[in-house]
Amino acid sequence: MKEDQRPLQQRNKSPTSKLFTRSAAYVVLVLLSYTLGYLSHTSPPQQQQLQPPSPVFQLADSPSQLDNFRVTAPCANSPLPPHLVFPTILDRVFNGSSPYSNFPPPYLSSFLKQKRIKGWGSYGAVFQHLIKRVKPQVIIEVGTFLGASALHMVNVTRELRLQTQILCLDDFRGWPGFRDRFKDIKMINGDVLLFQQFMQNVIYFNATGSVLPVPFSTASGLEKLCEWGITADLIEIDAGHDFISAWGDINRAYRILRPGGVIFGHDYFTKADNRGVRRAVNLFAQMNSLKIQTDGQHWVLDTSLAKHN
């Protein structure tokens, strides 16, 4: 019998060694197949990858997409005459009686200051400039807090001998944590007394015939004013400063602005712009072919100066 010429280590390999080698190769092959399959599944073809969203201003150039940004709540077919604005608010909001009657009630007197005025940008020259130019019969203020801007506008209209009615739209709840800065604004059973202190301020300045509160959220309040046919010659926006809030307020307020009227607001050049006020104003002006003017920290949209394409 011919002698085996293979090396000694090859002749000594057992059947078990061969089986192990084949098994290991099989496992490696399975793992490699699984890995390739996983990678091919999680990496979609190039044409299926999502494209980055278009900048928001590009949407303003597409008429088919503009409706996604507009407010479409129903409004009255015709506006109320200015002399019916206050009676309508008294009837719809206060059951026909003045909220200032017999105010404050005895149990509240000790919780309120005789006057407590605080605002931001409330005494800017823009108020004098616009009221003198527009000579408004009705002003709507969106965002009031303690009434500093509204009461300043009362003084301006008095100086100009105008008979102007001012509606102050605010939920008078402040914001979470605001009492960290305004500890003197009292709270009773979880109800912060902003609304009551605002009314006390109006009474102190003898402005009850010129100023009426509309104590609701800006969104629901503006939609109701539109539904009731209440419009204004001059509207100030100074409520929420994030983009969504400012955008909603500007759009809803614009629907109740009389033709040729002016809408304006604060925080165009302040740190609040980082939260979106300026972005909301810029986008709205572009979508509605309006020219933005500035006066101090305020932005101004005068519809009588609308750009015509």
Side-chain angles (χ1 to χ4, degrees), residues 98-111:
S98 171
Y100 302 112
S101 297
N102 302 314
F103 187 89
Y107 79 95
L108 273 182
S109 298
S110 62
F111 293 96

Side-chain angles (χ1 to χ4, degrees), residues 3-236:
E3 183 178 357
D4 191 349
Q5 299 297 321
R6 291 178 299 166
L8 180 62
Q9 58 270 34
Q10 289 186 15
R11 282 182 277 142
N12 291 336
K13 281 187 176 179
S14 66
T16 304
S17 308
K18 295 179 181 180
L19 178 62
F20 176 78
T21 302
R22 292 174 183 168
S23 298
Y26 176 76
V27 171
V28 170
L29 181 61
V30 170
L31 290 175
L32 181 60
S33 301
Y34 175 81
T35 302
L36 292 174
Y38 176 80
L39 292 176
S40 65
H41 176 73
T42 55
S43 299
Q46 185 66 29
Q47 64 270 22
Q48 294 182 5
Q49 292 182 356
L50 294 176
Q51 299 298 319
S54 301
V56 70
F57 282 124
Q58 292 183 11
L59 296 178
D61 298 325
S62 175
S64 64
Q65 295 181 349
L66 287 180
D67 289 341
N68 296 326
F69 292 89
R70 300 191 188 281
V71 176
T72 57
C75 291
N77 293 327
S78 57
L80 285 176
H83 71 276
L84 292 181
V85 168
F86 267 30
T88 299
I89 293 297
L90 290 174
D91 180 57
R92 297 274 191 163
V93 179
F94 299 108
N95 294 324
S97 61
S98 171
Y100 302 112
S101 297
N102 302 314
F103 187 89
Y107 79 95
L108 273 182
S109 298
S110 62
F111 293 96
L112 302 176
K113 293 183 177 296
Q114 190 176 23
K115 66 171 180 175
R116 174 64 165 97
I117 303 295
K118 172 61 182 175
W120 297 267
S122 301
Y123 304 99
V126 65
F127 296 98
Q128 177 91 17
H129 296 162
L130 292 180
I131 292 173
K132 188 174 182 179
R133 188 204 316 173
V134 177
K135 296 179 174 57
Q137 292 181 283
V138 178
I139 298 174
I140 295 175
E141 180 179 59
V142 181
T144 294
F145 198 52
L146 288 166
S149 298
L151 292 170
H152 176 60
M153 288 190 284
V154 168
N155 289 333
V156 173
T157 58
R158 286 173 175 172
E159 291 172 2
L160 296 173
R161 298 185 179 183
L162 300 174
Q163 300 296 317
T164 304
Q165 303 169 92
I166 302 175
L167 298 180
C168 293
L169 175 59
D170 198 306
D171 62 8
F172 296 98
R173 299 296 305 165
W175 58 89
F178 92 95
R179 291 190 70 252
D180 294 341
R181 297 175 58 186
F182 296 91
K183 292 181 172 60
D184 58 322
I185 304 296
K186 305 301 182 182
M187 180 181 288
I188 300 177
N189 298 114
D191 183 20
V192 65
L193 301 183
L194 265 178
F195 181 47
Q196 294 82 352
Q197 185 62 60
F198 162 81
M199 291 204 298
Q200 176 62 38
N201 292 338
V202 174
I203 291 171
Y204 178 85
F205 285 97
N206 193 29
T208 58
S210 303
V211 176
L212 264 183
V214 184
F216 302 104
S217 71
T218 58
S220 62
L222 287 169
E223 289 189 1
K224 278 300 178 183
L225 293 179
C226 198
E227 181 182 318
W228 297 337
I230 292 176
T231 58
D233 310 290
L234 184 63
I235 300 178
E236 181 197 7

